[in-house]
Amino acid sequence: MGSEDKGLGFFKEIGLASNNIGSYINGQWKANGSSTTSLSPSNNQAIAQVTEPTLQDYEEGLNACNEAAKIWMTVPAPKRGEIVRQIGEALRAKLEPLGKLVSLEMGKILPEGIGEVQEIIDMCDYAVGLSRQLNGQIIPSERPDHMMLETWNPLGIVGVITAFNFPCAVLGWNACIALVCGNCVVWKGAPTTPLITIAVTKLVAEVLEKNNLPGAIFTSFCGGAEIGQAIAKDTRIPLVSFTGSTKVGLTVQKIVNERFGKCLLELSGNNAIIVMDDADIKLAVRSILFAAVGTAGQRCTTCRRLFVHESIYKDVLDQLVEVYKQVKIGDPLEKGTLVGPLHTRSSVENFKNGISAIKSQAWKILTGGSIVDSEGNFVQPTIVEISPDAPVVKEELFGPVLYVMKFQTLEEAIILNNSVPQGLSSSIFTRRPEAIFKWIGPRGSDCGIVNVNIPTNGAEIGGAFGGEKATGGGREAGSDSWKQYMRRSTCTINYGSELPLAQGINFG
């Protein structure tokens, strides 16, 4: 059956076919590896075939990318910004079909799929402005007739390894900034979302070709762990941005550190929402629902732990269970669906094992906890009453499972929030200024994202995104994250005829 027979007429619009080449090397689509099948998590049926690259293909691509870096880094930053602006326009023109592809191949609902592509477009807009603001500093010198200043120069090549749950947005966080900073980009998309990797790369490639620039400025590979390992080991890639599990992230970090490269890690989250006794309960319940079941619980910022003040505990739980019962589970491309499928069959097995572990520890499942009988990977969003000391609470079950616990004081809630190995996102619902400022202060949340009266997920691109502890410490997107993609030089210029030394040293 062709793509039109499956209702996938938009395939041609974004440059896809029944059989696709899974790597873009030196301005050409070529791959000499084995063939893999992209599956729809809604029904586990084949969408299309993709030929994956070999390590020889990788080597050819990196050699070309390394040569292209010598050209790209000499292009003035505002001119690089113009190229990124055109990439944003190309994405904007294909926003809806790309969003449909994200929903079809990853499984998130269509508004989220379109929102993910919009996030790259927003990053392009952000990076265009940034291209005229890559400023250094002039530093007062203690020596007469001397000037000190900072300069920022490109690293050369940035490697970006992305995960299935945000198969293109995380590329945008990294690539848009890396490109305006003067770096070439090598992208390895998730092995289970190769069509998204190919479709986005095709748009970038068209912009580079139209501007008579080397295609190797943006090199991309579909493929598995062997390509990721090659990127981690490659001394031609000074910075590797990795998004995925803490276990794999630790391995990547070790490999990159051993060659004195730099690592930008976005790893696991075990995020909490705290609901204080003075909270707006309706606002909190709506936020908890989105944070816990959005993307079927497969966001790194998904709310997995809910701490509710004992005085409002029953009221919050009653309302929350009621809205959970109204959630529509189904085809992510259908209007009205709030929860799509888990991404793979193995994700369903992990969910099943997690529920078994919860039941073995005799905790109470208030709603959900079952697999939906269908051809797809659908499970029921689940709420569990549990103790904060339960072993399962410390782990990240990557699905729509929410653990609910009581607390008595703000201090207790903060300790509970900080008690897990991960440190990505956190939220509190309160109207009291003293609680807000304690929460965001040095004795408050230990996470990289600290929210008040909003969910744990749905971060804006203007702020730096990332977390602490087992989340890896990386920061992507806004603020001053651009500095990670450049090397800083402190320059001292003597424009006089004497040689005074720093710290008043007299060398005779």
Side-chain angles (χ1 to χ4, degrees):
M1 293 176 68
S3 59
E4 284 80 4
D5 298 322
K6 299 177 185 177
L8 306 179
F10 65 87
F11 257 43
K12 286 184 180 179
E13 192 178 346
I14 49 179
L16 295 175
S18 297
N19 291 286
N20 303 273
I21 303 299
S23 55
Y24 184 65
I25 296 170
N26 197 17
Q28 295 182 318
W29 289 95
K30 60 189 300 185
N32 296 293
S34 58
S35 180
T36 186
T37 303
S38 172
L39 301 176
S40 168
S42 294
N43 53 25
N44 285 299
Q45 293 182 7
I47 306 171
Q49 298 294 117
V50 175
T51 303
E52 294 184 332
T54 63
L55 288 176
Q56 289 74 22
D57 295 328
Y58 169 85
E59 187 61 26
E60 182 182 344
L62 261 291
N63 284 335
C65 189
N66 201 37
E67 290 302 309
K70 299 172 185 175
I71 298 170
W72 183 241
M73 67 174 55
T74 63
V75 174
K79 299 292 185 185
R80 299 192 297 252
E82 167 58 19
I83 300 303
V84 173
R85 185 195 68 78
Q86 292 181 33
I87 292 171
E89 289 302 305
L91 289 162
R92 192 174 272 113
K94 305 292 185 183
L95 174 60
E96 187 169 338
L98 282 172
K100 286 182 179 178
L101 179 62
V102 172
S103 295
L104 176 71
E105 191 174 41
M106 184 273 148
K108 62 180 61 175
I109 62 174
L110 184 56
E112 288 187 281
I114 290 174
E116 176 163 352
V117 180
Q118 182 65 49
E119 199 161 342
I120 315 179
I121 296 167
D122 293 345
M123 278 303 306
C124 287
D125 291 345
Y126 178 87
V128 173
L130 181 65
S131 69
R132 294 181 181 270
Q133 300 177 66
L134 302 172
N135 303 322
Q137 297 186 69
I138 294 176
I139 304 164
S141 173
E142 67 182 67
R143 290 170 281 186
D145 297 333
H146 281 59
M147 175 172 282
M148 292 177 64
L149 60 135
E150 287 181 345
T151 59
W152 293 86
N153 289 299
L155 294 172
I157 301 175
V158 170
V160 183
I161 303 173
T162 56
F164 76 86
N165 59 334
F166 281 87
C168 58
V170 175
L171 168 78
W173 295 351
N174 288 276
C176 296
I177 294 179
L179 287 169
V180 298
C181 287
N183 302 297
C184 290
V185 172
V186 173
W187 178 27
K188 191 197 90 68
T192 53
T193 55
L195 300 178
I196 297 166
T197 303
I198 294 167
V200 172
T201 300
K202 282 181 178 289
L203 292 177
V204 177
E206 288 171 6
V207 171
L208 294 174
E209 183 178 356
K210 185 175 68 175
N211 287 274
N212 298 313
L213 287 165
I217 289 170
F218 191 92
T219 301
S220 77
F221 301 100
C222 302
E226 72 284 350
I227 299 295
Q229 289 168 0
I231 290 172
K233 293 176 182 177
D234 203 321
T235 56
R236 292 166 295 188
I237 303 177
L239 173 66
V240 175
S241 171
F242 173 84
T243 301
S245 70
T246 295
K247 181 180 178 181
V248 178
L250 280 172
T251 301
V252 171
Q253 185 178 51
K254 182 179 179 181
I255 294 170
V256 175
N257 285 349
E258 283 177 347
R259 62 175 176 83
F260 295 103
K262 297 200 296 183
C263 235
L264 199 167
L265 299 174
E266 297 290 356
L267 310 177
S268 304
N270 193 350
N271 316 295
I273 289 178
I274 295 169
V275 184
M276 297 294 293
D277 54 345
D278 68 320
D280 180 332
I281 293 178
K282 287 186 178 179
L283 179 66
V285 168
R286 290 203 310 272
S287 299
I288 294 161
L289 179 70
F290 172 59
V293 310
T295 324
Q298 298 171 110
R299 290 178 178 234
C300 53
T301 53
T302 290
C303 177
R304 310 201 181 279
R305 298 176 297 141
L306 174 62
F307 301 108
V308 183
H309 192 276
E310 61 180 6
S311 66
I312 57 169
Y313 182 79
K314 187 179 184 305
D315 192 7
V316 170
L317 249 62
D318 286 348
Q319 291 190 39
L320 193 59
V321 169
E322 188 61 33
V323 295
Y324 261 61
K325 290 176 180 177
Q326 299 169 32
V327 169
K328 180 182 176 182
I329 306 168
D331 185 341
L333 287 163
E334 272 188 21
K335 189 174 182 181
T337 300
L338 283 183
V339 176
L342 296 181
H343 185 53
T344 61
R345 280 291 189 197
S346 61
S347 302
V348 177
E349 286 303 309
N350 290 339
F351 175 87
K352 188 190 300 183
N353 293 337
I355 295 298
S356 295
I358 290 165
K359 288 179 177 178
S360 71
Q361 296 173 35
W363 301 112
K364 186 178 181 182
I365 296 177
L366 299 180
T367 186
S370 300
I371 295 167
V372 177
D373 186 20
S374 72
E375 293 180 342
N377 307 325
F378 297 96
V379 301
Q380 293 178 340
T382 304
I383 301 175
V384 180
E385 276 192 299
I386 202 165
S387 164
D389 298 324
V392 291
V393 175
K394 308 292 183 185
E395 301 168 2
E396 183 188 35
L397 178 57
F398 215 60
V401 177
L402 179 66
Y403 300 119
V404 185
M405 294 150 276
K406 295 179 185 178
F407 72 90
Q408 293 180 326
T409 67
L410 174 60
E411 289 73 17
E412 178 191 357
I414 290 173
I415 290 170
L416 290 170
N417 176 79
N418 298 348
S419 66
V420 294
Q422 308 86 353
L424 179 53
S425 186
S426 56
S427 297
I428 192 170
F429 283 79
T430 182
R431 297 168 180 167
R432 288 196 290 268
E434 63 271 23
I436 292 171
F437 287 101
K438 184 166 186 178
W439 172 244
I440 67 174
R443 293 193 296 160
S445 170
D446 64 359
C447 295
I449 299 171
V450 184
N451 294 330
V452 178
N453 295 328
I454 62 170
T456 50
N457 52 4
E460 296 183 34
I461 59 111
F465 179 92
E468 301 299 325
K469 302 190 298 187
T471 304
R475 293 296 185 276
E476 293 169 327
S479 187
D480 63 350
S481 296
W482 64 270
K483 293 180 178 179
Q484 297 168 111
Y485 302 88
M486 305 194 81
R487 58 178 178 84
R488 181 199 325 233
S489 298
T490 301
C491 307
T492 306
I493 302 167
N494 180 0
Y495 57 88
S497 56
E498 300 296 326
L499 191 63
L501 300 180
Q503 291 82 47
I505 294 173
N506 185 343
F507 206 59

